[in-house]
């Protein structure tokens, strides 16, 4: 097929590869955050993430942030499946002209993350390359398989902290980040992007809530991407009732004339869980973390995401799109 990857975009590339190639060999293959292996009555959960410096590094990140973040993003995929992370493995491709101190800082970030979250550091792979890139794999221990497909009517829950990273990305796009860099709202978004905190509170959900989880994922690619993925994979309509956004984000966007919808649904890298429950349980708290119902999904003839009485514009965070 002589179509350039940039003409397809990441979302369509994945869908075509699954339908055209993978399912000819593995007919039940489902693309998701994590995969499962059952061994001796133990359910292992695995995931991996990789990043290329030119399209991933942000101007305010340190090398130590890089090491921390690649672990956090991969571990997040394990946690949203309600599984306990056990080990992380990291592969680094780095240019020969880099300083040893830069590589040392990356490893320091990895070690600090693993130590803080009581996770073992497994194999550390190192290669010389013409461009910096880093990948991490994670292994966890789960109790049951949780996918990304919604069956029947469900209520979608999340932590209402969207918009902070979207504001930072929007300001970067407008070349205004440094103008507002010291604003508390912007600083919060910067800190999330530098060192995202994995949703360890997912392991504290009560058993009755866990048993009612139909699907679960995180917002690494943006909330809009999550909702459209649910809709397309599940052949359902997702209706957003309330955007899960703090009032201070709304106020900031109003002052700077930024679109609240844009920063909430087309931001990315918040790593907030989005879970589908089979029934509405009202407001849900886990320690200091509050989950709120913000949308519901129901079977339909076509995949749609509705917000404010109209179809939500899909963009999300995609590579292979120029």
């Amino acid at each position: 097929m002589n179509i350039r990857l940039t003409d397809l975009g990441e979302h369509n590339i994945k869908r075509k590869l699954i339908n055209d190639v993978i399912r000819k060999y593995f007919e039940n293959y489902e693309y998701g955050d994590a995969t499962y292996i059952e061994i001796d009555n133990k359910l292992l959960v695995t995931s991996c993430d990789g990043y290329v410096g030119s399209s991933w590094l942000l101007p305010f990140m340190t090398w130590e942030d890089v090491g921390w973040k690649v672990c956090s993003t991969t571990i997040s995929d394990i946690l949203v499946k309600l599984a306990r992370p056990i080990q992380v493995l990291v592969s680094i491709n780095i240019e020969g002209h880099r300083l040893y101190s830069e590589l040392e800082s990356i490893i320091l970030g990895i070690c600090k993350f693993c130590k803080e979250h009581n996770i073992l550091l497994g194999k550390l792979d190192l290669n010389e390359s013409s461009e910096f890139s880093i990948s991490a794999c994670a292994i966890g221990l789960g109790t049951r398989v949780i996918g990304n497909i919604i069956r029947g009517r469900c209520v979608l829950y999340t932590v209402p902290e969207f918009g902070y990273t979207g504001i930072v990305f929007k300001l970067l796009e407008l070349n205004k980040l440094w103008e507002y860099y010291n604003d508390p709202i912007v600083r919060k978004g910067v800190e999330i992007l530098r060192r995202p905190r994995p949703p360890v509170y997912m392991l504290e959900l009560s058993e009755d809530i866990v048993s009612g989880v139909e699907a679960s994922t995180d917002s690494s690619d943006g909330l809009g991407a999550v909702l459209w993925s649910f809709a397309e994979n599940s052949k359902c309509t997702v209706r957003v009732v309330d955007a899960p956004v703090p009032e201070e984000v709304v106020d900031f966007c109003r002052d700077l004339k930024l679109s609240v919808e844009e920063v909430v649904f087309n931001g990315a890298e918040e790593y907030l869980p989005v879970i589908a429950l089979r029934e509405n349980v009202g407001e849900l708290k886990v320690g200091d973390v509050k989950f709120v119902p913000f949308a519901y999904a129901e079977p339909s003839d076509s995949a749609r995401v509705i917000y404010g009485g109209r179809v939500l514009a899909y963009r999300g965070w995609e590579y292979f799109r120029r």
Side-chain angles (χ1 to χ4, degrees), residues 5-17 31 49-50 221 314-322:
L5 296 180
T6 50
D7 293 332
L8 290 171
E10 184 183 11
H11 180 71
N12 287 326
I13 290 170
K14 289 175 180 176
R15 183 159 50 188
K16 283 188 66 60
L17 287 174
Y31 178 80
D49 269 311
D221 293 330
Y314 172 78
R315 208 179 74 198
W317 182 269
E318 284 205 342
Y319 295 109
F320 303 109
R321 178 62 54 82
R322 299 291 182 265

Side-chain angles (χ1 to χ4, degrees), residues 35-54:
T35 54
Y36 295 86
I37 308 168
E38 190 169 354
I39 301 176
D40 296 333
N41 296 319
K42 288 186 172 63
L43 188 64
L44 297 181
V45 189
T46 64
S47 185
C48 63
D49 269 311
Y51 305 97
V52 176
S54 59

Side-chain angles (χ1 to χ4, degrees), residues 89-108:
L89 304 87
V90 181
S91 179
I92 300 171
N93 299 313
I94 193 166
E95 310 96 317
H97 66 78
R98 293 287 184 185
L99 300 176
Y100 172 80
S101 59
E102 294 175 308
L103 179 58
E104 185 180 43
S105 292
I106 295 171
I107 305 305
L108 184 60

